[in-house]
Amino acid sequence: VSSPTLLQRFEQGDIRALSRIISHVENEDDGYLELLSHLYRQPRQAVRIGLTGPPGAGKSTLVDGVSRILLEAGEDISVIAVDPSSPFTGGALLGDRVRFKEETQGGRHYFRSLASRGSSGGLSRATDNIALTLDGFGFDLVLIETVGVGQVELDIVDNCDIVVVVLVPESGDTVQTLKAGLTEIADIFVVNKSDRPGADRIVTDLTTMLALRRSQGTHPSVSQTAGETPTLPVIATDAVHGTNLAELVATFNSLLSRKKDNGEFDARRRKQMKRKVSQLLQQRFLTETLQKVASKGDVDRAIESILVGEDDPYSTADRLFEQINLARQSC
Ligand SMILES: Nc1nc2c(ncn2[C@@H]2O[C@H](COP(=O)(O)OP(=O)(O)OP(=O)(O)O)[C@@H](O)[C@H]2O)c(=O)[nH]1
Ligand SMILES: [Mg+2]
């Protein structure tokens, strides 16, 4: 995987090498970890913006429109379209999953789609690692589109610097949005399809709700900032006709510079990295230590004892933990 020629070609800006490396990283082929350690040691500059929202809200159309504006400004834009609900990669052929365009005047554009494989953790990890690869290749921006249907996409957007929640007039009940946990993760709300009836209503509802939450100090990104309390931007767009897309891009930029100035940008990345390292530690601990030390039938026996009322899960966990500790100390 980490043959010097492939990596060299990648570093020289060869798009085909990029695609191959992304595939290795996505499939976690032999040697992908060496690739990742190499990439982590390179200078990084790409900003990650995640877009999530209900199916058909216009996320892809928005991503296209926003990309076009930034490409014209000369930026190199990459897009990862993640579909946690689809078991197959959109189109069986790799060709359908990758698009690349070099603007004659302007930046480069790279698109990659990614569909569910195995665990939800796997999809989120693959997205993170692919974003790292695109960053290492030199893209200025990684736009990550994912359908807002559950925990998986929350994990995915957790790896972003800015999260855009896309709603449509049909989303109607904003309380549902609250329940879905989307307001907790949003940095920007977009009400797309604002050409349709009901758009004004949802903009007003959202703004009211956000103001209320702000006054109660319940929004995480608000309670973190002492002093001035910024409101979350709510932007009404029509992605098909490009209405307000320039405003959306301007909002990205102002939010980014504010977050970089007040330290939120670094704080978020630090938190994400801390979570990543703890997750890796947890995985190692569970898969290796637990299997090696406590799987000699002890766990199964303990579970049987709990089921017949002779033990309980808390004492079992305590005991197994002690057992593992002892075994580690004697190593
Ligand atoms: N009227 C109107 N239609 C829009 C707008 N934005 C997108 N659409 C249409 O809505 C449909 C879905 O758009 P997509 O961009 O594919 O939506 P999506 O959120 O990416 O969809 P999934 O990825 O399948 O969840 C398409 O037919 C778009 O042309 C808009 O602002 N107004
Ligand atoms: Mg889409």
Side-chain angles (χ1 to χ4, degrees), residues 7 10-11 21 25 32-44 129-137:
L7 199 56
F10 172 88
E11 276 163 357
I21 288 196
V25 165
Y32 88 103
L33 286 175
E34 283 90 84
L35 270 171
L36 294 182
S37 2
H38 175 78
L39 290 168
Y40 269 110
R41 284 164 177 77
Q42 304 308 304
R44 286 188 280 148
N129 291 336
I130 292 172
L132 175 76
T133 310
L134 291 163
D135 193 345
F137 192 79

Side-chain angles (χ1 to χ4, degrees), residues 3-201:
S3 85
T5 47
L6 183 60
L7 199 56
Q8 270 165 13
R9 280 169 43 217
F10 172 88
E11 276 163 357
Q12 286 157 3
D14 181 339
I15 286 291
R16 289 187 55 201
L18 169 67
S19 288
R20 282 191 48 201
I21 288 196
I22 288 180
S23 295
H24 288 318
V25 165
E26 182 187 351
N27 300 327
E28 307 195 340
D29 291 337
D30 284 351
Y32 88 103
L33 286 175
E34 283 90 84
L35 270 171
L36 294 182
S37 2
H38 175 78
L39 290 168
Y40 269 110
R41 284 164 177 77
Q42 304 308 304
R44 286 188 280 148
Q45 47 138 21
V47 167
R48 298 179 184 188
I49 299 182
L51 287 99
T52 190
K59 300 176 294 294
S60 299
T61 317
L62 277 167
V63 163
D64 279 351
V66 162
S67 298
R68 204 167 301 136
I69 293 174
L70 291 165
L71 282 166
E72 277 167 18
E75 295 203 39
D76 293 331
I77 309 301
S78 55
V79 178
I80 309 175
V82 193
D83 189 352
S85 56
S86 157
F88 302 107
T89 39
L93 298 170
L94 188 65
D96 295 344
R97 299 178 46 209
V98 183
R99 290 200 305 260
F100 175 69
K101 228 172 37 216
E102 190 141 19
E103 304 295 310
T104 38
Q105 292 174 320
R108 297 176 295 179
H109 187 244
Y110 185 86
F111 171 95
R112 177 89 177 201
S113 74
L114 198 61
S116 171
R117 47 183 62 229
S119 70
S120 62
L123 193 58
S124 164
R125 191 169 63 233
T127 309
D128 184 29
N129 291 336
I130 292 172
L132 175 76
T133 310
L134 291 163
D135 193 345
F137 192 79
F139 284 99
D140 301 302
L141 183 65
V142 185
L143 288 165
I144 301 172
E145 175 197 336
T146 181
V147 189
V149 283
Q151 185 56 46
V152 193
E153 97 281 349
L154 294 183
D155 289 345
I156 291 165
V157 290
D158 240 3
N159 287 319
C160 293
D161 301 305
I162 287 184
V163 175
V164 183
V165 170
V166 183
L167 300 170
V168 284
E170 292 81 359
S171 304
D173 194 358
T174 40
V175 178
Q176 254 178 334
T177 320
L178 265 174
K179 279 194 189 139
L182 288 176
T183 47
E184 311 297 332
I185 58 160
D187 297 292
I188 299 175
F189 279 101
V190 163
V191 176
N192 190 42
K193 306 198 182 180
S194 63
D195 50 310
R196 295 207 177 153
D200 291 344
R201 165 88 197 280

Side-chain angles (χ1 to χ4, degrees), residues 234-253:
V234 180
I235 301 172
T237 58
D238 171 351
V240 170
H241 296 99
T243 314
N244 267 351
L245 294 192
E247 282 74 4
L248 182 57
V249 171
T251 308
F252 289 160
N253 290 330

